[in-house]
Amino acid sequence: MEERKVVSIEDRIPKLKQTRRKKANRRLIVYLTILFLLIATVIYLQSPLSNVRNIVVEGNDHVPEEKIMELAKLSTNTNYWKVNDKEAEKNIESHKQVTSATVDRRFPNTVHIDVTEAERIGYVQQDGKYYAILENGTRLDGSDAYPGGDAPILAGFTKETYLKEMSQELKELPSSVSSLISEIHWEPEEGNPYQIRLYMNDGFQVQASIRNFSDKMPAYPSIVSQLEDGAEGVIHIGVGAYFEEFSSSDKEEGPEEEETQTGETAPEEPAIPDEVAPEPEGAPEEADDGEGESESAPGSEQSDQASTIQ
């Protein structure tokens, strides 16, 4: 039988101690590492290193970036880890010109804000200033000296009901068509309170109705393409679309006025009867009297008729 090697306890004790010492050192290193990380985290959270450094705002055309940051309660002094995305979005959407907002934190210290603004469908003029009308028919309080080129001017809308309905129709209208409109005038009639007249950027006028405006107006570009070059008039878009060309009197109002003025002096021109009067050879001698001469001038035509009758 083979003899087993016997190791005495005195030889094993140093190895056990060394193994235990290594385990203890490892645990100590782990504990110290965790403690160091905790201390570093606390220092980081309490220091300016944890503040927001970059705030990126996109999608805003009319609402200032500073106003959006103010509503979101964000600044470069805000702690990155204390930013409440949902609360910031709710605060931004409380602005009447903002329809939706998205707030996204991007590590290590950037906050990204994406804003969707309400579309401006027109401008209303009042007291020499222009007020923007939003897609829901709301009129903004702030005024501009001149309207922006992003929407037409709405004129004559004295009733809020028709203005909101017109705003809804413009919202549903394609931007490729709405960009062709310069002005929209409300011209109600006794039998048709929804009648409107449009002045287009290309010089044409369009007579339409508010109620079916978004359904009928998209046909405008195809209608214009069928007209002759240089044509001027009114395009009627209703039950059926047709073109009414301006008459020559509408185009030449100035020349007509000059003709009417010259026409008033025209009756003074005919002095021909004075030349025709001496033609009859057998004129009576009574014409030599003073009274006969005065009567022959204005009544020259009657003397001629009398001569033809004889």
Side-chain angles (χ1 to χ4, degrees):
M1 295 180 64
E2 297 180 357
E3 295 182 359
R4 294 181 179 179
K5 186 177 180 181
V6 179
V7 179
S8 62
I9 297 176
E10 295 178 356
D11 295 334
R12 295 179 59 185
I13 289 175
K15 293 182 179 181
L16 292 173
K17 289 182 178 181
Q18 186 177 3
T19 303
R20 290 176 181 177
R21 189 179 297 111
K22 288 182 180 180
K23 289 182 179 180
N25 291 337
R26 290 174 184 172
R27 290 177 183 176
L28 180 60
I29 293 174
V30 172
Y31 293 151
L32 291 176
T33 303
I34 295 174
L35 180 61
F36 174 78
L37 292 176
L38 291 175
I39 295 174
T41 302
V42 172
I43 295 174
Y44 168 74
L45 294 175
Q46 297 298 326
S47 68
L49 296 175
S50 62
N51 292 345
V52 176
R53 290 190 178 182
N54 302 316
I55 301 176
V56 181
V57 181
E58 294 181 351
N60 60 314
D61 294 327
H62 302 285
V63 183
E65 181 177 330
E66 294 77 11
K67 184 63 177 179
I68 295 175
M69 294 170 58
E70 179 183 350
L71 292 171
K73 298 179 180 179
L74 293 176
S75 67
T76 54
N77 295 324
T78 304
N79 190 289
Y80 176 83
W81 302 101
K82 293 182 179 180
V83 175
N84 190 330
D85 299 352
K86 300 300 180 182
E87 183 179 355
E89 292 173 359
K90 185 177 180 180
N91 293 336
I92 297 174
E93 291 174 357
S94 64
H95 197 282
K96 63 172 60 178
Q97 295 192 60
V98 178
T99 57
S100 64
T102 303
V103 179
D104 183 23
R105 292 185 301 174
R106 298 180 180 179
F107 190 81
N109 47 25
T110 301
V111 177
H112 185 272
I113 303 175
D114 191 7
V115 176
T116 302
E117 293 183 345
E119 182 181 359
R120 294 191 176 192
I121 55 86
Y123 292 88
V124 174
Q125 185 180 13
Q126 184 178 0
D127 299 331
K129 297 181 179 180
Y130 294 90
Y131 298 84
I133 304 297
L134 302 181
E135 59 188 31
N136 57 1
T138 303
R139 187 176 72 171
L140 298 180
D141 298 332
S143 62
D144 299 323
Y146 299 97
D150 54 342
I153 298 174
L154 305 179
F157 287 86
T158 56
K159 293 186 178 181
E160 199 72 19
T161 304
Y162 296 98
L163 179 60
K164 288 187 176 181
E165 192 166 349
M166 185 75 248
S167 303
Q168 186 63 29
E169 293 292 329
L170 283 172
K171 178 184 176 182
E172 298 176 2
L173 191 67
S175 59
S176 58
V177 179
S178 61
S179 61
L180 303 176
I181 304 174
S182 176
E183 298 180 13
I184 300 177
H185 291 245
W186 183 43
E187 298 180 352
E189 293 183 348
E190 185 176 352
N192 183 16
Y194 294 92
Q195 180 173 291
I196 54 176
R197 181 179 294 269
L198 285 71
Y199 294 87
M200 311 301 291
N201 293 326
D202 53 11
F204 289 103
Q205 298 181 19
V206 177
Q207 190 172 0
S209 176
I210 298 177
R211 283 192 164 176
N212 55 5
F213 181 75
S214 60
D215 296 331
K216 302 292 185 179
M217 195 60 190
Y220 173 79
S222 61
I223 296 175
V224 173
S225 63
Q226 299 175 16
L227 300 177
E228 297 180 357
D229 294 339
E232 297 180 0
V234 180
I235 300 175
H236 296 263
I237 299 179
V239 179
Y242 65 94
F243 176 71
E244 180 183 359
E245 189 172 2
F246 289 141
S247 61
S248 58
S249 60
D250 295 336
K251 295 180 180 178
E252 301 177 356
E253 292 181 356
E256 280 191 355
E257 293 177 359
E258 295 178 1
E259 290 177 2
T260 56
Q261 292 176 359
T262 55
E264 293 177 357
T265 59
E268 298 179 359
E269 294 180 359
I272 300 174
D274 295 340
E275 299 177 358
V276 177
E279 289 183 0
E281 297 178 356
E285 296 179 356
E286 295 178 358
D288 296 334
D289 297 337
E291 295 179 0
E293 292 178 357
S294 61
E295 291 177 0
S296 62
S300 59
E301 294 180 1
Q302 295 180 359
S303 61
D304 293 340
Q305 292 178 357
S307 62
T308 54
I309 293 172
Q310 292 177 356

